[in-house]
Every structure is written in C-alpha cells, then in structure tokens.
Amino acid sequence: MICNAGDKTAIVCGDNKVSYKQLNGKISVYTDLIKDINANRVAIFSENQVGWVYAFYSGWQNNATVVPIDFMSSVDEVAYILKDCAPEVVYTSVEKKTHLEEAIQKAAIDTKVFVIEDYEAVPIDEEVDLPQINTDKDRTAVIIYTSGTTGSPKGVMLSFENLMANIDAVTNEVHIYSAKDVVMMLLPMHHIFPLMGTMMAPLFVGATIAISPSMVSEDIMNTLQQNKVSIIIGVPRLYAAIRKGIRTKIDSSFIARTLFALAKKVDSISFSRKIFKSVHQKFGGAVQFMVAGGAALDPEVGSDFNTLGFEVLEGFGMTEAAPMISFTRPGRVRIGSPGEILSVAKVEIRDGEIAVKGANVMQGYYNRPEETAEVLRDGWLYTGDLGRLDDDGYLYITGRKKEIIVLSTGKNINPAEIETKIENMASCVADIGVFADKDQLRAIIVPNKAELEGKNENDIHNIMKQDVIDKYNQSVAPYKKLMAFSILNADLPRTRLGKLQRFLLPDLIKEESDEPKEEVKIDLKEYHVISDFIANEKNCNVRPENHIEIDLGMDSLDKVGLQVFIQSTFGVEMEENELVAFPSILALSEFIASKKTRLSIEKINWSKILKEKVHLQLPRTWFTGTIFVRMSKFFFQLYFRFKGKGLSNIPDGPCIIAPNHQSFFDGLFVASFLKQKVIRNTYFYAKEKHIKSKFLKFFANRHHIIIMDLNKDLKESIQKMGEALKKQKNLIIFPEGTRSFDGKLGEFKKTFAILSRELNIPIVPVSIKGAIDALPRGSVFPKPLKKISVEFLKPVYPEESTYDALSNIVYKSISVNQSR
C-alpha cells in the first residue's frame, strides 16, 4: 500500500521533510507500540499531522481495522463512536488527550491510549523493511463514521477491495496521480475523500504529500507556493471562497474584466494560463488539477476556474462507495457534471435515484444490519441522490432524495437550488439554509459581515428582506417563494466537508418573544384600511413592516382578494407582481394613498366578480372524446382491478365534481364511469404551463379541456370556470390543486367552494383509492393488477355555508370515505 521510493520525499509539513525510507521507519516504531495488544480495531483522534500517517499504517501492519474520528467532534460524539466500535487502541494528540479521556470514561470502554507527539523523537531504522500489509479483498480495512447530515453517524465498513478499486481508478483508469506529483493534505482525514485522495493514493504511487498546517488562507497559500503543489483536493465551499476573492479583484478592474470575458469566449486552458499567469503563480505555478468532492460544485464556480485556466475535476460519490462512483476525465470536463462512471462501477437510475453496484461498494454499516438492508439491496447501493445519465455517459445530480421538500400541494422543491441561486445573486449572503416550516419555505441566512460592515441589526434585516428575499421571490414560481426568513450570526451546521446538516435547521429558529412588540403609530388612513382587511382575511396581526408574502403568507387567492379590495375601495388597479414588489404594507399603503381616486370601503364580493363579463369559448366537442373515455375504461378494467360506484349521486343539473388527487390518471378514472350524456356535458380545466405544445392545445380544444393560466390571472381563471357552470356545464375540479405525494389528502383550495357558494352549484365529492399505489410519484409505468376504486359521494349543497365551511364539509366527506 506504500510505494518503495527510497530517499524521495514522502511527506513535508513546514520545514519537516520525511523520506519514504524514514516513513517506513516511523511506521515500524508505531507498529511495535501495539504489536502485543492484539487489536482488532485501532482508532485515531487527532488533527492532521505527520504522525497521523504513521498511526494509520501501524494499524494495518497489525492486521487491525482503522477507525479515524473527527478531531472536531464533541465528547458525546466521540463517546458514541468509541462505544459503537470498541477499539482496543486509540492514537490521539496532546491537544485532544483530555477530550479523549472524557469520552472514554463516558463510553465506559477499556482501551489503550497513545499520544502521537510522544514518539516524534524516537530513533528509527531507515533501512527497515516492513512486511506486506494483508490486503485480502474481504478484510475490513477501515470503518468511516458518516458525518451525519440526517442524524446519528453510522460506521461504514470498507474493505481493501473497496479501497483498491478507487486507487486503481485514479492511477490507472483516470491518470491523475503519478510519482512526480505533490498533493496538498488540507481536509480532515476522518473522511474517506481526503483519506483516499491526500494520503492513500499519493503514497501508493510514490508522490509527495504537502500538509497544510491549518485551513487558514495564509497557511494554504504558503503550502502551495513553497512545495509547488500539483494536485489540490478540496470541497466546493473552499473553491467557492477562492473564486469569490479572485472575481472581486477581476470585477474591480476594466482590463481584468475584459481579459476574463475574452478568455471565456476563447475557452482554451493554455490561452487562459498565459493570460492569468499571475493568478497561477499565486497558487505556486504548478497546479495541474483541482479535485472537488464531498458535495456538489456550483457550476458557476467550475466555469470561472476553467476560464482562469484551472481544470477542476469533480467527482460524485459517497462514503459507502469508498468514495467515488463517477469522476471527470482530464480534458473532458463538462461544467455541471461530476463526470463519467468509473469502469469498476455499474450505475442505473431507478425511479430517479442513483443506484450503484461494483467493487467499490461497502460491506455494510457496522452493527447495523437493518440500516444496511435499507440501502444495499441485491448488491445494489441506493445512494439517496437523484440524477440522470446523458447519452455520452455523463452523470448529472439533480437533488438529494431525503432533502427534497414536498409541500402539501404536492410540489417537489430542491432546497439546494434555491440556496445556490441566492448565494450567486447576493454577495451580502455568506451562507443560507432552506427548509420547510409549517408547509412553507423558510430560510436561515448568515450575513456577510465584511459586506455589511457598519450596518445595524435593523438595517441588515431590511437589506435581506428587500434586496435578497423579495428580489428572489419575484424571479421564481409561486411555490418556490420563501415565505419567512431568520438571520443567524453564527455558522450554519455543516459537516467537516461542508455538507449542510439540514435536519438541524428548524432548531435554529429563534422563538418569537411573548412580549408584544412596541406599536408604531401610523396616521395614514389607507394603511389602517388595508391592514384591517388583511387581518380579517388572514386572522393574523399585521404590522407596518410586514411583507404580504414573507411575513403574512398570502397565497395567490389571498392576493386576488386584496387586488379586488384595493380596486373597489381605492379605485387603484394592481397586478399581483406589483403587490409583492412593495417591501411592506406601509409602503403599499403610501403608494395607494398617492394613486387613489376614492375611498369607499367594500368587502370583497365574489358574487359581483363572477357576474363580470368574461369571454369564454368552450372547446368544441369531438365524438372521439367519448370514444377515448370508453376505451380508457376498458383498458383500466383489463390492467387494474378497477371499480366504481355512487353514480346516482350525480345531480341532473350543473355540478362541480371534486375528486381527491393521487395520480395523473385521476381525471380519466372519474370520467370513465360517467354516462355518455354526462361526459358530453363535463369539462376539465388544465394549467397552461402543462399544455404548451400545439398538439396538446389542439387536443384540449376539442376534448372538453379549458386551458387557464392560474399563476398569471387567477381572478380571470375563476371567472372562466364560473362562466362554464353558468352555461349549465359540469366541471371536474381537484380541490387539492395538485397530486398528493403520499396518498393523504392535502390542503383544499377555496376556488371550488367560491364557485359553488356564489353560483348555487352542488358539489359531488369523489373518493379515489389505490391510484397512489398504481402510479406513485416518480414512476413511469403504472403497476398492473392494483385495486383502484372510484366512489361518487352524496352531493353537498351550498345553502348558507361560508367558503371555509363548504370546503371542510367536502374534505370531511372524502376523508371519512378514504379511512374506510
């Protein structure tokens, strides 16, 4: 596992240089320390230092499994690992000895402790020949405890076969490492990525390791320059920070900006290295590859380094794959992709998830057979990452399965995309974490102190609200908007390799003070009229500084109501995007005060709105529509166990048919049971964003589908649905608005209740069961022979019910049926 390179320098740290001969001698000293202990497991709890390497290989020389432990771990975390794997030996540093002793006491284990620095001056035999390490492929070489992005760490057992598969990949298959290289050791060695990339692979080929004394920028730059480092192993956040500093200097100079734009257009590594020679010199002038791993690299970061003449090789993997699954080949970089699959691995995309099989896949989790069985199935490792492979074999990561936020509306959101977008657009944001809080998206922001120097707490809050959150919200679809945010003057919880521990974010939200905030006296009458209206509609307290989305959580229907209220009360017509552009209710009120033509307070009147004239050309009816529905029913009965009942509950006149929503077949499931006369009188509505092609529009206009743009003009869309009902037609409306993620009923929108109440139209609740099992989200083909039932329930008549009461009656009717 270590090259026999004689007097060549193996490790350098500051002024301390260690040859390969001396390395063997030092490992021999450490091996002798523990040879009589008969250790099965040897742990290392220390900062990066030269002696860390000696300790590690001494474990292998004694046929032990090595367990690296993060030196930044708390006493409880170290105790947890020690108790889990019970090492007979632990190497530690002077700095960490007391910390370790507390953890050992807490873990209540019996182990022998050796302090690495105590053996630095022990004489060595440089001519010693170490015996070959037993690298039988099935032997467990290391146990790497995962850094815990989702909870308590698990010990990943990696065999020598797993490790050698990765070493072979970067030395033979992808020619990254060679004996002439100098590799910087910077990242903590308890993680498999730096352990493999900055220690095992370099020593295997006879390269030199240059240890950076710390992660302080001055130490990093000195290490690069003094040792002519050729390979940097880093995490995306390191490269993002370096890139940010370089771009700041480039953007401040017209000449530099022009050269950067030219280099980007030319897109030649050799050209860029000449143009930006001074930048390369600051890195020591010898860097050939920057290797990024541990998390996804922002494509803009990779692109900018490429423009500067650096080749950033990104890989994808995980501890459980020792660690690599894919890697970028030199000269074949594709920004945004972590490269091509290694030949040692086989990858398939299963229901959107990346699954891998091969010699790099772990043996399992130590002492955790159930967790092992969850991710290792028939030899396939299910990574938990979502992705796709293009036609050329390049892998693209689209999200983390467990991190995807699913709102009650059924919308799937990748929080990392939001975080990256905001970090790129706002230099005042040092870090950001996005998560779901009470079914809304919320962010925790760490301000960039250097950018906001001299600003007080109130100023910073307003800047984040107006220049960051509001600006972002105006650029995205409604379901991706951030509805609340908090400011944190500390670091977000991250693993040592920079992965966000998203599960800890909710704990960082500061509890709102129980004491009422000091009331600000506002004399503006328009403010009081508007705030009273919102308070009554949303049943909440309204303050002058509140934003209608971020603070008050007003959805599309709420905003339509506010638009109508402002128009009827003040005579001012406003679009939704104009409303959300105002940073506060007070600013909106001041604008209204300057533009109003009257002040006549009126309640929102949906009855009046639905009486307004609106043009609606109902789609023409082709006979093929009825034939298509009948054929669909025939197919469903052959393919599924498909049954329906309750058709007698459909009234003779116009009605709203309101099913729960589990799959994209639901509309056809419902329609296929309707009688021919009812089918020809029943209309669906579809969102315009789903009917973009000419063929789909042609089909919709001839088969009872009304196309509406609910995001652009919800008011007009509701009026069009009302117009169809007034023409004595039936409407199929899904109250949830979108498909359920898990089959459970989602929150009902009020649209169908407004139409029913104001037009005196009955609602027929429909309970669909089994569709979620037949066609779950993410699947492409429906599963055969699944039991699917459609039941038309007793109609609900509006009478004197409120919108909310009517919606609740329909919800309860379907919910009760679903639970049977």
Side-chain angles (χ1 to χ4, degrees), residues 11 25 77 116 197 258 315 490 496 591 785 794:
I11 307 171
E77 289 167 336
I116 291 172
T258 304
R496 297 280 281 136
F591 173 80
L785 302 179
K794 289 184 178 180

Side-chain angles (χ1 to χ4, degrees), residues 558-571:
D558 294 327
K559 283 176 275 187
V560 169
L562 182 57
Q563 286 174 264
V564 173
F565 176 77
I566 289 172
Q567 197 280 327
S568 62
T569 303
F570 303 104

Side-chain angles (χ1 to χ4, degrees), residues 91-351:
Y91 286 105
T92 191
S93 64
V94 171
E95 184 73 25
K96 292 295 173 181
K97 182 182 178 185
T98 303
H99 198 79
L100 174 65
E101 288 171 343
E102 289 180 40
I104 291 173
Q105 186 176 4
K106 198 157 193 172
I109 66 166
D110 183 23
T111 189
K112 180 72 174 175
V113 175
F114 293 93
V115 177
I116 291 172
E117 289 89 341
D118 289 349
Y119 304 94
E120 284 182 345
V122 174
I124 62 170
D125 179 3
E126 292 189 17
E127 302 302 323
V128 67
D129 287 325
L130 290 173
Q132 287 293 314
I133 295 169
N134 181 1
T135 59
D136 289 350
K137 68 176 187 174
D138 295 328
R139 283 192 64 233
T140 302
V142 291
I143 298 176
I144 305 291
Y145 278 83
T146 58
S147 43
T149 60
T150 57
S152 60
K154 299 185 286 287
V156 178
M157 297 186 293
L158 298 176
S159 68
F160 279 99
E161 181 184 34
N162 298 152
L163 301 182
M164 288 307 301
N166 270 265
I167 290 174
D168 183 67
V170 294
T171 56
N172 295 321
E173 181 184 346
V174 185
H175 298 286
I176 306 297
Y177 292 89
S178 67
K180 66 182 182 187
D181 283 308
V182 179
V183 183
M184 182 166 69
M185 180 185 287
L186 173 66
L187 303 175
M189 302 293 283
H190 71 280
H191 195 286
I192 188 60
F193 173 49
L195 185 67
M196 174 66 70
T198 65
M199 188 187 78
M200 291 187 210
L203 294 181
F204 182 82
V205 298
T208 298
I209 299 170
I211 301 177
S212 175
S214 76
M215 293 189 73
V216 175
S217 57
E218 186 177 347
D219 283 339
I220 293 173
M221 298 312 292
N222 286 339
T223 302
L224 290 168
Q225 292 168 1
Q226 292 171 8
N227 299 286
K228 300 296 180 185
V229 169
S230 58
I231 299 175
I232 300 175
I233 306 290
V235 292
R237 292 186 68 79
L238 169 68
Y239 295 122
I242 295 171
R243 172 252 192 181
K244 195 169 188 177
I246 295 173
R247 279 302 303 264
T248 299
K249 291 182 180 179
I250 288 174
D251 292 342
S252 64
S253 164
F254 172 76
I255 295 175
R257 287 200 309 272
T258 304
L259 289 174
F260 189 83
L262 176 64
K264 196 174 190 72
K265 191 169 185 179
V266 172
D267 192 22
S268 164
I269 290 288
S270 58
F271 177 79
S272 293
R273 284 178 176 170
K274 291 176 184 177
I275 295 294
F276 295 107
K277 186 176 180 180
S278 61
V279 176
H280 285 259
Q281 290 301 319
K282 288 181 180 178
F283 283 84
V287 174
Q288 290 296 310
F289 302 120
M290 291 177 167
V291 180
L297 180 71
D298 181 355
E300 287 194 25
V301 175
S303 178
D304 280 0
F305 271 111
N306 185 70
T307 301
L308 291 168
F310 293 100
E311 199 161 19
V312 181
L313 306 181
E314 187 179 0
F316 163 72
M318 57 194 306
T319 306
E320 290 85 342
M324 290 195 307
I325 295 171
S326 72
F327 197 66
T328 303
R329 275 63 168 170
R332 283 153 60 177
V333 174
R334 285 193 184 177
I335 302 300
S337 168
E340 302 157 80
I341 306 303
L342 299 180
S343 62
V344 72
K346 182 180 179 182
V347 166
E348 291 183 1
I349 309 298
R350 298 183 172 184
D351 290 335

Side-chain angles (χ1 to χ4, degrees), residues 452-470:
L452 299 167
E453 190 175 357
K455 305 288 185 185
N456 61 35
E457 187 175 330
N458 192 54
D459 290 337
I460 292 173
H461 185 274
N462 287 334
I463 288 170
M464 295 302 173
K465 187 175 183 178
Q466 298 172 26
D467 297 345
V468 179
I469 301 296
D470 195 34

